[in-house]
Amino acid sequence: MKMIRLIIAINMLLVLGGCSVKYSASGASIEPGAKTVNVRFIENRAPINNPTLSQNLTEKLRTKIQSQTRLTQTNEDNADYEFKGAITGYSFSNAAVTNVDKASTSRLNVTVSITFIKRIGDKKGFTQSFTRPAEFPATQLPSAVENGLLENTIIPGVVDDIFNKAYANW
């Protein structure tokens, strides 16, 4: 009887210890053998664009991955994980209209298309568009609020969405 319990206990340890995905404190699931990531420069292909958006978005994604995982950024073509993409949409629009047909709130929308390549584990990557809006009072000029909306709302939101899709399986 004790021998059977011992065998069951050993088998349970082997089964539980053999799981292929490890979770970090940030909730990211990284394959045990994964060491490198290549976040390629995210190009700006939107008809309207902000000149600093590509660089800022690329750097924020690299920083998030390096701070939330044990992966090392590389520029090699054979990295364990690879992100590449482009900003495909950048537009201002009216978000809310008052009863006198005057805009009370405006919105900046940014859309980023990302391809995530996994060269390790189940090798299930994705190609997906991520869109984030940010609203501001219509009384303000877009040029006056644009950089603040990008830095404080849109870029962090898009980076979180990309990271969660790639590593948190949400």
Side-chain angles (χ1 to χ4, degrees), residues 10-27:
I10 291 172
N11 283 335
M12 291 286 287
L13 286 172
L14 290 173
V15 168
L16 293 175
C19 292
S20 64
V21 177
K22 302 294 182 198
Y23 293 92
S24 70
S26 66

Side-chain angles (χ1 to χ4, degrees), residues 115-133:
T115 299
F116 174 64
I117 301 165
K118 273 179 86 174
R119 294 188 177 90
I120 194 164
D122 63 14
K123 299 184 180 176
K124 291 182 182 175
F126 64 82
T127 297
Q128 181 176 325
S129 289
F130 299 88
T131 301
R132 274 292 172 142

